Amino acid sequence: MKKISFLFAVVLFLTGCTSDSVVTELNEWQFHYDNQWFNATIPGCIHTDLMAHDIIPDPFYGTNEDSVQWVGDSVWIYRTSISRGQLKGYDHCDLVLDGITLCDVFVEGTDCGKSFRQLILHGDNMFREHRVNLADVFDANHYNINDLGENITLEISFFPIRKTNEDYFGSHFDLPDHRAVTRIAPYMLGWDWGPSLSTIGITKAARLECYNGELPAKEMPIPVSWNVELRQEKDSIGQSFTFYKDGKPFFAKGANWIPCHSFPILTPALRQRYVDLLTSAKEANFNMLRVWGGGIYEPDFFYDLCDSLGIMVWQDFNFSCALYPSDDDFLNNVSLEAEEQVKRIAQHPCIVVWCGNNEVKNGWEDWGWQQQYQWTPEQIAELRHGIDTLFGLNGILAQTVKQYDPLHRAYITSSPLYGWGHPECVTHGDSHYWGVWWGEQPFEVYKEKTGRFMSEYGFQSYPDYSTICRYCPENQRNIDSSTMRKHQKHGRGREIIDKAMMQYYGVDSHSLSLEDYCYVSQLLQAWGTGYGILQHLTAQPHCMGTLYWQLNDCWPVASWSSIDYYGNWKALHYRAKMLFDENADLDYWRKYYETYPKDLHLEKSSYALELIHNDLLQVEIYTETTLRDVFLETVPHVDGHFDINYFDLNSDETIRATFIPYDSDVDLSKVYVKLKCLNEIL
């Protein structure tokens, strides 16, 4: 192999160790492609490295997702160099790799002039820190540090996740979802709101820790308690699901959180995305987010923000919509994962409940796996035992929470307790009600299908037209184009939206321009999901929480989100802000929902719009007619949101709206505002 000579960069002292112990960040790497070596960025992944060198196009643009599938199906090699001098004089030279996908790690160099190559580690879980003592490796193989060459090469061979899953199936009976056999973020292999961009790399950190003696155990301080508890009590209805703070019940208001990027590398840009999303949640009067179990365990930066903003977090373990292996190797692996993650995340007071998985119980009982895969009674018994061993109240995850959460916060086995086809879904525990959307039921069903705690429900919309213009070529900007189909991941998504839009608004994708269709789809989402929120709020104390699906996106797409990938608030987020306000006039909203939008008698719009440029960008609107669902948009588009938008304006009424850009340094002096309202469409 061609020699490389670059050295490590940042050096930090190990806390609690002797003064001659150091931590060296390994951040100068290369990756191999087409018989060449290219500089890599760590933390990072192969897709972002390939984009940085213009080897692949942006997978989010057009139909490029298809053209980069070969990336996830290839073996990728990364390498860096370790100076011999940095290893001398230490009992321990720990190579620490955090956030690595499936891989084999090698060291190679020369010993007394003879070449060697040694496998030192197999990485099999991106949710764990992997650590190996190089001093022990050299001793075990009789390499004398003084006889080694000047530089030692560290090489990582990353495996394609999909092919690894196929290999795994060779020795195990079929499981419903191949994502279950690897400890890689499930959503990276595609979901009904996300692309299939199976990536590899060192997604967190790589470092060398050299020290003498023993590495002291990290002290785990007891976090400040918010004194929040979950009570599940049998009652005359079934089983409650109520959070209490300081001994008093409160209603949980919020949404589900998915990873905010398909490549979750904590860059400065991603940090800003976290800030924008979480402050937007707070601004919309959220008090809780559910971190969904098919993504990632979020970085401390996320939980720190939730701590500071007072947003409570329901934390799923990273298991979703699948059955998982029950062999000892797999269970030992996830046991170590759970211990590491609970120790880390439990330090944050925002955590209020741990949940074993998302929809595994639901899938086992309701999705036909047992019949579809024709398992034998012995195999079914094995799978049941595996579910209980991993997720049960006496299982691995529950015991890990009991042992390592210093505040002993509640653990629940699975969400939901009952699937939406069971009558118990509205009487017992938390509920994912998907009769609306998946079952194509009308929004009015929410009134009779309100459970004790609504932890998932929702309806799709398309993002702002300005967002579509950023990922869709101009000649593709029609609802039937390949790009628009590629960025609608639900197989029946457009048809379901059209059906409901015709019912409630009397229009659909065939009768509207793409721009107007995006706008009305958001009105529909806000109308329907908002109706659900209203039913949940007014059903207290039967129902004590509503977390709609979903807050955010990981790429630009049609989805259930209330904030699109670029941070634009959809109509639903404004509706949630109004309904979640502690002073919301629920009687007004009950009356609001008495008339379908298509049955409104709307006059032709007539209004005066005045733009006010001072330190802020403000717009003042006066109308002589009643305007319905006023939408304000910046021209040219600027990422951010108005403090009020998608609002109704009565005749002879004036309102002022202020634009809040995400980039506080953006020049707004030449930005204008345009207005759209439902009067101009129906």
Side-chain angles (χ1 to χ4, degrees):
M1 173 179 288
K2 180 181 177 182
K3 293 295 178 183
I4 50 179
S5 60
F6 40 79
L7 301 179
F8 304 122
V10 182
V11 176
L12 304 171
F13 284 102
L14 266 176
T15 302
C17 292
T18 59
S19 61
D20 62 343
S21 302
V22 294
V23 173
T24 308
E25 299 293 338
L26 306 179
N27 54 16
E28 294 190 11
W29 291 74
Q30 295 178 322
F31 71 95
H32 189 259
Y33 170 71
D34 195 24
N35 297 317
Q36 299 179 63
W37 289 95
F38 296 84
N39 290 335
T41 299
I42 301 298
C45 66
I46 187 59
H47 286 84
T48 53
D49 282 335
L50 291 169
M51 281 190 282
H53 291 280
D54 295 323
I55 296 172
I56 63 170
D58 179 0
F60 292 180
Y61 188 78
T63 60
N64 288 345
E65 178 194 351
D66 291 339
S67 67
V68 301
Q69 288 304 302
W70 63 273
V71 175
D73 291 330
S74 302
V75 174
W76 294 96
I77 299 175
Y78 279 65
R79 71 180 185 184
T80 191
S81 178
I82 300 171
S83 167
R84 179 187 64 184
Q86 292 185 293
L87 304 177
K88 294 177 66 172
Y90 295 102
D91 297 331
H92 298 270
C93 299
D94 289 356
L95 171 66
V96 183
L97 298 171
D98 194 4
I100 52 174
T101 56
L102 300 175
C103 63
D104 281 337
V105 184
F106 300 87
V107 289
E108 62 177 41
T110 59
D111 177 55
C112 294
K114 294 183 179 180
S115 298
F116 69 85
R117 177 178 171 85
Q118 182 68 45
L119 175 67
I120 62 170
L121 175 67
H122 175 66
D124 58 358
N125 189 331
M126 72 178 291
F127 307 127
R128 281 178 50 201
E129 177 186 273
H130 292 75
R131 180 183 294 265
V132 60
N133 185 354
L134 296 181
D136 287 347
V137 170
F138 294 144
D139 287 345
N141 290 278
H142 308 293
Y143 301 138
N144 188 316
I145 190 68
N146 295 309
D147 296 329
L148 297 179
E150 183 64 28
N151 291 306
I152 300 159
T153 298
L154 174 66
E155 180 184 291
I156 307 181
S157 294
F158 289 100
F159 309 131
I161 297 170
R162 284 187 288 241
K163 291 183 180 178
T164 304
N165 288 331
E166 292 167 3
D167 293 341
Y168 190 93
F169 282 141
S171 58
H172 293 72
F173 57 85
D174 283 351
L175 294 174
D177 193 328
H178 63 277
R179 286 174 285 207
V181 303
T182 54
R183 297 309 296 149
I184 303 298
Y187 83 107
M188 289 181 175
L189 291 168
W191 219 268
D192 56 4
W193 38 257
S196 178
L197 293 170
S198 171
T199 196
I200 62 89
I202 306 172
T203 63
K204 291 185 179 178
R207 62 186 181 274
L208 193 67
E209 297 181 0
C210 295
Y211 56 97
N212 293 310
E214 294 297 323
L215 188 66
K218 183 179 180 181
E219 292 186 11
M220 306 298 289
I222 297 177
V224 176
S225 172
W226 285 0
N227 199 18
V228 176
E229 62 173 325
L230 170 64
R231 298 182 190 175
Q232 299 180 85
E233 300 169 328
K234 301 292 184 182
D235 57 22
S236 61
I237 303 170
Q239 180 176 308
S240 67
F241 196 103
T242 304
F243 287 94
Y244 286 72
K245 186 172 184 178
D246 298 326
K248 298 179 180 180
F250 68 89
F251 192 91
K253 303 173 184 178
N256 285 258
W257 172 278
I258 66 167
C260 57
H261 202 288
S262 291
F263 308 126
I265 314 302
L266 196 57
T267 61
L270 193 66
R271 288 175 184 268
Q272 188 59 49
R273 189 180 295 270
Y274 278 112
V275 171
D276 294 339
L277 286 168
L278 290 175
T279 54
S280 290
K282 184 66 175 180
E283 191 177 343
N285 303 304
F286 283 31
N287 61 21
M288 186 177 290
L289 287 170
R290 174 180 176 239
V291 177
W292 169 73
I296 61 173
Y297 299 100
E298 291 294 337
D300 284 319
F301 186 76
F302 167 86
Y303 301 105
D304 286 339
L305 285 169
C306 290
D307 291 341
S308 66
L309 291 168
I311 296 175
M312 292 171 280
V313 173
W314 164 324
Q315 178 67 53
D316 279 5
F317 284 93
N318 228 313
F319 304 90
S320 183
C321 301
L323 291 174
Y324 292 85
S326 56
D327 57 278
D328 289 342
D329 287 345
F330 184 86
L331 294 178
N332 289 336
N333 193 1
V334 299
S335 180
L336 292 170
E337 167 193 319
E339 177 183 339
E340 183 176 327
Q341 295 297 341
V342 171
K343 284 181 176 178
R344 178 179 69 88
I345 298 172
Q347 301 311 305
H348 296 275
C350 62
I351 302 299
V352 294
V353 64
W354 303 90
C355 178
N357 65 72
N358 173 75
E359 296 183 350
V360 172
K361 177 179 182 289
N362 189 186
W364 175 255
E365 294 175 344
D366 303 324
W367 296 353
W369 290 339
Q370 300 177 48
Q371 296 75 27
Q372 179 182 354
Y373 290 90
Q374 299 181 334
W375 292 317
T376 66
E378 293 77 17
Q379 289 172 331
I380 290 175
E382 178 183 344
L383 288 166
R384 281 190 178 129
H385 177 71
I387 292 172
D388 200 46
T389 299
L390 186 54
F391 304 119
L393 288 175
N394 294 309
I396 290 171
L397 301 181
Q399 292 303 313
T400 302
V401 169
K402 183 177 180 180
Q403 183 174 357
Y404 295 110
D405 182 350
L407 296 181
H408 306 295
R409 283 161 285 203
Y411 169 84
I412 61 174
T413 60
S414 187
S415 178
L417 186 58
Y418 290 97
W420 61 270
H422 296 261
E424 293 91 344
C425 80
V426 297
T427 58
H428 289 70
D430 76 305
S431 176
H432 296 190
Y433 193 74
W434 286 111
V436 176
W437 184 261
W438 281 98
E440 300 186 30
Q441 295 173 341
F443 298 128
E444 286 76 12
V445 168
Y446 283 134
K447 188 168 186 176
E448 61 186 84
K449 295 294 185 179
T450 290
R452 313 304 300 273
F453 189 102
M454 302 301 294
S455 51
E456 270 194 35
Y457 64 97
F459 198 87
Q460 267 199 7
S461 72
Y462 282 78
D464 280 3
Y465 186 69
S466 64
T467 291
I468 288 176
C469 290
R470 292 164 80 164
Y471 71 73
C472 187
E474 187 172 0
N475 63 1
Q476 290 274 304
R477 291 173 195 165
N478 67 81
I479 195 64
D480 293 308
S481 73
S482 56
T483 293
M484 292 302 296
R485 291 196 302 271
K486 176 57 61 177
H487 289 254
Q488 166 55 276
K489 289 297 182 181
H490 191 282
R492 294 183 289 118
R494 177 186 162 196
E495 288 74 16
I496 294 173
I497 293 172
D498 271 4
K499 177 181 176 181
M501 190 181 291
M502 184 59 70
Q503 178 179 353
Y504 292 92
Y505 285 82
V507 293
D508 61 12
S509 63
H510 302 286
S511 56
L512 296 174
S513 68
L514 179 59
E515 182 174 358
D516 287 347
Y517 184 63
C518 292
Y519 163 71
V520 179
S521 77
Q522 290 193 26
L523 301 184
L524 175 68
Q525 180 193 36
W527 204 92
T529 307
Y531 182 84
I533 292 172
L534 177 64
Q535 303 313 312
H536 306 157
L537 287 168
T538 55
Q540 300 179 57
H542 170 90
C543 176
M544 288 302 292
T546 182
L547 307 178
Y548 63 80
W549 185 269
Q550 64 208 66
L551 176 68
N552 58 307
D553 286 325
C554 68
W555 77 317
V557 68
S559 81
W560 295 261
S561 71
S562 63
I563 303 177
D564 75 22
Y565 172 75
Y566 293 111
N568 299 299
W569 288 24
K570 296 182 181 179
L572 172 57
H573 206 74
Y574 290 96
R575 182 63 51 85
K577 178 182 179 181
M578 290 185 281
L579 287 166
F580 286 165
D581 190 313
E582 63 180 11
N583 297 315
D585 183 349
L586 299 185
D587 287 335
Y588 163 82
W589 288 107
R590 289 189 187 96
K591 185 176 180 181
Y592 175 91
Y593 278 106
E594 289 177 357
T595 305
Y596 279 12
K598 70 178 182 181
D599 295 327
L600 296 170
H601 299 289
L602 299 177
E603 305 172 71
K604 184 178 179 181
S605 62
S606 176
Y607 58 87
L609 185 152
E610 181 182 357
L611 198 61
I612 304 168
H613 279 292
N614 41 40
D615 292 338
L616 303 170
L617 174 61
Q618 295 180 314
V619 60
E620 191 168 272
I621 306 155
Y622 167 76
T623 181
E624 296 176 350
T625 61
T626 297
L627 301 182
R628 186 68 182 248
D629 293 313
V630 172
F631 168 54
L632 303 175
E633 168 70 309
T634 52
V635 182
H637 176 77
V638 177
D639 289 336
H641 63 274
F642 286 89
D643 61 342
I644 181 173
N645 209 348
Y646 293 97
F647 55 86
D648 294 344
L649 192 59
N650 295 323
S651 58
D652 295 322
E653 187 176 358
T654 300
I655 197 166
R656 178 175 288 191
T658 302
F659 182 69
I660 305 168
Y662 288 138
D663 181 358
S664 59
D665 295 326
V666 67
D667 181 8
L668 298 175
S669 62
K670 296 182 180 179
V671 174
Y672 295 87
V673 176
K674 72 175 182 180
L675 182 152
K676 182 191 293 289
C677 61
L678 195 61
N679 304 58
E680 299 167 356
I681 295 174
L682 297 188

